[in-house]
Amino acid sequence: MNFDPRFSGRKFSSVGTRPIRPDGIDKVTGRARYGADFNMAGQLVGRVLRSPHAHAVIKKIDTSKAEKLAGVKAVITAKDLPDLTDGDAAMYDILDNSMARKKALYDGHAVAAVAAIDARTARQALKLIEVDYEVLPHVTDVDEAAQHHAPLINDQVFTEGLEEKPAKPSNITKRTQFGHGDVHKGFAQADFVVERSFKTEQTHQGYIEPHACVASVNPDGTADLWVCTQGHFVYRQHCAQLLGLEASKLRVTSSEIGGGFGGKTHVWAEPVALALSRKAGRPVKLVMTRDEVFRASGPTSATSIDVRIGARKDGTITAAEATLRYSCGPYAGSWAEIGAMTAFACYKLENVKTVGFEVLVNRPKTAAYRAPSAPMAAFAVESVVDELAKELGMDAVEFRIKNAAQEGTRSSYGPVYGPIGIGPTLEAVKSHPHMKAPLKANQGRGMACGFWFNFGGQTCTDLNIGMDGSVSLAVGTVDVGGSRASLSLVAAEELGIDYSNVKAIVADTSSLGYNDMTDGSRGTFSSSMATISAARNAIKILRDRAAQMWDIPVDDVVWEKGHAIAKGEKYGNLSPLSLKDIAAKSGTTGGPIAGHSELVADGAGVSFATHICDVEVDPETGSTRVIRYTVVQDAGKAVHPTYVEGQYQGGAAQGIGWALNEEYIYGKDGRLQNAGFLDYRIPVCSDLPMIDTQILEIPNPNHPYGVRGVGETSIVPPLAAIANAVSNAVGVRMTHIPMSPPRILAALDAEREG
């Protein structure tokens, strides 16, 4: 493919404008179809039986009574999902998480499922399934699980990443390390050193729509899956492998998505629904309850992090190190690895070391939450950075500016940075009116920086031009944040036509080539690159058709502002042909006009943000109120500024909830105690201030329009910014997230007693 992805520095007419989103009317009128809105003729209702124990051997499952119940058409257990993973450990974990095999590994782990003619019958059937458990000791705390005497969750796990394979199994699945230089030498050069330990509790993405799907396995071996997902092509691959289906015979269609934020990047109930359909011979609809979503789908990691940073009197950081322990549920993950990558990425450091440990616990399998793992690492690092600035007597912003990474800096995790936005975001914050606004009693201001690396991945796009001049854009990246509008703007920009003439759709897996998961802030970045490529391929055909219509060489035809133009004085009598003119004649000049692109979108630009937060803390109750919040972030190029601002605000809002209220609470029995929005409290409108935004645009040199991913970075700084604000308000360093009223009061009491 002859496609140049380099930034061109062009001026834009469509990109950068703020048109109405194409899916807006359907969503506000209720016409949009989400996961639970789809139905098939003759469909059954699926329900899942889940373990009430955090850790237990499944000695026997008796489904005979349930199978005899009138209206029950299928009952399945692990034996109906045999192991077809051929030694693939990651796929086996997905299989085991979908339906427990030898052991139930957390409260809510699926152990059986039924398909019945209605929900009432399905619920009755679940009650008739008898499971004989041998309850085992459990561990839900990340620090306790990392101890050598902790209950062993998987006796086949030996810590990876050590110089020698350990002799005994462990709950620590992996050790990873990043860094360069000599931290011992760096700390010896420091005049001031601050060392702290931090904890963050497990949180959920809090999407409005529960997981839902409709599965239908047909007698001829073909199958259909309608599902709420962030990546229907990945779901096809995983489900096909787990059920022994040919991937080409499984068509997966993504529904509208009522929020995902990384939580809908894994299959959970989908293999179960397919197995039920295969056994029943009828379509099966399976929708999780909110309780099931909390107990049995992927939350974030809980963490325990130690950070140490040293600096000279002049404010130069001489060394930085961190040890990060991340829980990953009962299955191996890479969450601590990402935390170790991102921890010090904002800074120019000669001596830096981060070590990450993945730790098994008896909690649900961990999943991504926007910039997965980075918010916790930033909370710990940025808290110490703030405290160190105070030890030095320096302004918190100036201290960060002095040590900020820049173009040419070797990052803490390895690569050398190109043009980046951390410096500009800090300079913007330094001069922002928010930083100069006065504070009242019991109020505090905090700021913090954040980083996310982003990626591109495999992407495929079709662009079809109708005979009326309209353009249909088929993409394979799920629209989780307004990307259909952004991609339509890109197509309109490249073709030189009006945005209203472009309609983008998310194609199913049988209609388009493979696309990677929509995560890692890759959706607009990768699909806009593929859209530009597809549009340019279509323009080649449009030029060729115009040349035919004029009977001149195609090399004498150029494309400008949506028109074919014959260049040269000798063609002065030929009027420009619009895209619509050429499309109208396509039937007589060679047939339909289309552009196609498949590529691996390399060169995703790293992304930085700096946030400012003001809080007010009631010293008697510990209640905290965020009174002002500002986000400054580099977007590379804001294709649709309104959606970019929305991403900034959404990340900040979720970060506010995470910092102040949200956490999984487990009892001594290992069971989740707050599996619902009544007790797991996400922010509502009255909890949030108006969130101000400032978009910076430092172009990504590896994208034609300079685009960087923006969807994840905005959730990285809030935990730290709010923690710094609360610490400044109460005069005590807060080290445990969320900073709920009891924790704030406990910190104040400890300070008084100390």
Side-chain angles (χ1 to χ4, degrees):
M1 181 193 66
N2 184 21
F3 174 68
D4 186 357
R6 291 175 297 178
F7 177 63
S8 60
R10 65 187 287 173
K11 293 183 179 180
F12 300 103
S13 56
S14 293
V15 166
T17 61
R18 301 171 182 257
I20 295 172
R21 63 187 300 162
D23 54 323
I25 292 176
D26 282 352
K27 287 182 175 176
V28 299
T29 59
R31 292 172 60 88
R33 291 201 297 174
Y34 293 87
D37 292 328
F38 186 72
N39 296 290
M40 297 184 72
Q43 74 182 18
L44 303 171
V45 174
R47 287 288 185 271
V48 177
L49 182 67
R50 301 186 180 278
S51 168
H53 305 294
H55 195 195
V57 174
I58 302 172
K59 299 178 69 175
K60 181 181 179 183
I61 302 179
D62 185 350
T63 62
S64 59
K65 293 179 182 178
E67 290 167 348
K68 294 175 183 177
L69 182 66
V72 171
K73 302 300 180 182
V75 181
I76 66 167
T77 61
K79 67 182 181 182
D80 297 288
L81 280 166
D83 181 8
L84 304 175
T85 60
D86 194 26
D88 185 329
M91 288 303 299
Y92 181 84
D93 286 351
I94 296 172
L95 175 67
D96 189 69
N97 188 53
S98 297
M99 187 66 71
R101 315 189 80 70
K102 299 176 182 178
K103 292 199 298 183
L105 297 172
Y106 56 90
D107 167 39
H109 199 167
V111 296
V114 303
I117 57 172
D118 55 35
R120 179 175 175 274
T121 304
R123 288 193 297 268
Q124 285 182 314
L126 292 184
K127 295 177 181 179
L128 295 175
I129 298 174
E130 298 174 356
V131 185
D132 184 10
Y133 294 103
E134 178 188 340
V135 179
L136 302 174
H138 64 271
V139 60
T140 58
D141 180 80
V142 62
D143 282 326
E144 292 177 10
Q147 300 299 315
H148 69 275
H149 58 267
L152 196 62
I153 295 172
N154 187 339
D155 60 10
Q156 300 300 308
V157 169
F158 293 80
T159 307
E160 297 179 9
L162 303 177
E163 291 184 3
E164 296 182 6
K165 183 177 178 179
K168 295 182 179 180
S170 168
N171 289 331
I172 299 174
T173 68
K174 186 179 180 182
R175 178 191 185 276
T176 51
Q177 180 174 322
F178 296 93
H180 54 259
D182 185 337
V183 291
H184 297 293
K185 179 181 177 182
F187 281 116
Q189 297 170 348
D191 296 309
F192 294 89
V193 176
V194 173
E195 183 173 4
R196 286 276 190 184
S197 295
F198 302 86
K199 291 202 76 165
T200 70
E201 297 299 330
Q202 193 162 51
T203 55
H204 198 272
Q205 300 84 352
Y207 35 78
I208 297 173
E209 181 191 15
H211 298 268
C213 66
V214 179
S216 179
V217 179
N218 305 312
D220 62 358
T222 62
D224 287 274
L225 181 66
W226 166 279
V227 62
C228 174
T229 175
Q230 290 179 237
H232 46 314
F233 289 89
V234 175
Y235 274 40
R236 178 187 65 177
Q237 300 300 110
H238 287 178
C239 289
Q241 183 173 349
L242 295 181
L243 275 88
L245 303 171
E246 291 184 35
S248 61
K249 292 184 177 180
L250 173 59
R251 181 178 66 174
V252 182
T253 304
S254 64
S255 68
E256 289 288 353
I257 184 168
F261 315 113
K264 291 173 181 171
T265 56
H266 297 261
V267 297
W268 307 104
E270 293 77 17
V272 174
L274 285 163
L276 284 169
S277 175
R278 179 168 61 185
K279 191 167 187 177
R282 286 168 61 175
V284 173
K285 184 173 186 175
L286 204 162
V287 181
M288 280 190 176
T289 64
R290 185 64 61 183
D291 177 271
E292 289 179 299
V293 169
F294 275 103
R295 292 173 60 215
S297 70
T300 66
S301 299
T303 73
S304 172
I305 302 173
D306 306 321
V307 175
R308 186 182 183 210
I309 306 177
R312 297 191 185 96
K313 293 178 182 177
D314 67 357
T316 303
I317 295 176
T318 60
E321 67 176 343
T323 301
L324 309 98
R325 295 164 290 275
Y326 279 61
S327 68
C328 50
Y331 305 104
S334 58
W335 310 111
E337 180 177 358
I338 301 173
M341 279 181 61
T342 59
F344 293 109
C346 293
Y347 299 106
K348 178 175 57 178
L349 303 169
E350 291 186 6
N351 306 292
V352 59
K353 177 183 177 182
T354 57
V355 179
F357 294 96
E358 318 287 343
V359 184
L360 299 182
V361 293
N362 292 118
R363 295 190 180 205
K365 173 184 171 69
T366 301
Y369 183 5
R370 293 190 94 144
S373 303
M376 306 83 133
F379 159 60
V381 168
E382 291 293 299
S383 294
V384 172
V385 168
D386 227 50
E387 195 167 355
L388 186 54
K390 287 184 179 179
E391 290 283 334
L392 292 163
M394 288 187 68
D395 176 77
V397 180
E398 292 289 357
F399 181 52
R400 288 172 170 85
I401 290 173
K402 183 176 181 65
N403 293 285
Q406 55 194 277
E407 185 173 0
T409 294
R410 183 183 178 189
S411 69
S412 59
Y413 64 98
V416 175
Y417 289 134
I420 57 174
I422 181 61
T425 65
L426 283 163
E427 293 291 348
V429 161
K430 178 182 175 181
S431 59
H432 199 283
H434 187 164
M435 289 300 289
K436 302 176 178 65
L439 293 169
K440 299 177 182 179
N442 299 320
Q443 294 181 352
R445 175 169 297 137
M447 54 81 57
C449 301
F451 160 87
W452 187 247
F453 50 89
N454 302 321
F455 72 98
Q458 299 179 77
T459 314
C460 183
T461 298
D462 277 339
L463 186 151
N464 293 280
I465 299 174
M467 293 184 70
D468 61 353
S470 63
V471 173
S472 176
L473 185 66
V475 301
T477 46
V478 175
D479 185 351
V480 296
S483 62
R484 278 170 292 189
S486 298
L487 298 176
S488 295
L489 282 171
V490 169
E493 184 72 51
E494 201 64 30
L495 293 170
I497 61 176
D498 190 82
Y499 165 84
S500 62
N501 292 327
V502 183
K503 180 177 177 59
I505 63 166
V506 180
D508 66 55
T509 57
S510 296
S511 305
L512 198 64
Y514 181 85
N515 281 259
D516 279 327
M517 183 74 65
T518 302
D519 60 359
S521 295
R522 69 171 294 269
T524 297
F525 168 76
S526 63
S527 279
S528 66
M529 190 179 289
T531 297
I532 293 168
S533 174
R536 291 178 182 177
N537 290 334
I539 287 170
K540 292 177 184 177
I541 299 172
L542 289 163
R543 288 175 52 237
D544 180 71
R545 300 297 178 86
Q548 289 185 50
M549 293 169 69
W550 283 326
D551 195 22
I552 64 174
V554 69
D555 290 342
D556 290 343
V557 180
V558 296
W559 190 263
E560 295 179 2
K561 297 181 179 179
H563 292 77
I565 298 173
K567 61 181 181 180
E569 294 182 2
K570 59 183 176 180
Y571 300 128
N573 62 325
L574 296 178
S575 298
L577 291 171
S578 69
L579 180 146
K580 187 174 183 178
D581 295 333
I582 300 168
K585 298 292 185 180
S586 60
T588 59
T589 59
I593 301 172
H596 180 78
S597 176
E598 62 282 318
L599 50 78
V600 176
D602 294 323
V606 296
S607 176
F608 294 89
T610 303
H611 291 197
I612 318 167
C613 175
D614 293 353
V615 302
E616 184 172 281
V617 183
D618 185 332
E620 293 186 0
T621 66
S623 176
T624 300
R625 184 169 63 95
V626 178
I627 55 178
R628 187 170 182 180
Y629 203 100
T630 300
V631 176
V632 181
Q633 184 174 323
D634 170 25
K637 176 61 186 178
V639 177
H640 194 303
T642 299
Y643 297 154
V644 171
E645 291 165 352
Q647 291 293 322
Y648 291 2
Q649 292 163 334
Q654 289 177 313
I656 289 170
W658 192 340
L660 297 179
N661 292 305
E662 298 181 37
E663 65 175 308
Y664 271 41
I665 299 172
Y666 279 87
K668 292 182 179 180
D669 58 359
R671 302 200 68 182
L672 183 61
Q673 296 182 334
N674 60 332
F677 284 142
L678 182 64
D679 298 308
Y680 179 95
R681 191 172 180 279
I682 64 172
V684 296
C685 289
S686 58
D687 296 313
L688 299 172
M690 295 299 293
I691 298 171
D692 296 325
T693 61
Q694 184 175 346
I695 299 173
L696 302 185
E697 295 185 327
I698 294 89
N700 174 10
N702 301 309
H703 187 283
Y705 292 1
V707 169
R708 300 178 189 268
V710 302
E712 294 177 278
T713 310
S714 54
I715 203 173
V716 181
L719 275 63
I722 298 165
N724 287 335
V726 171
S727 299
N728 291 335
V730 301
V732 178
R733 173 54 54 184
M734 300 301 299
T735 60
H736 196 159
I737 293 290
M739 294 170 289
S740 57
R743 288 203 178 101
I744 291 176
L745 293 177
L748 289 171
D749 289 343
E751 181 71 10
R752 294 189 195 102
E753 293 172 2

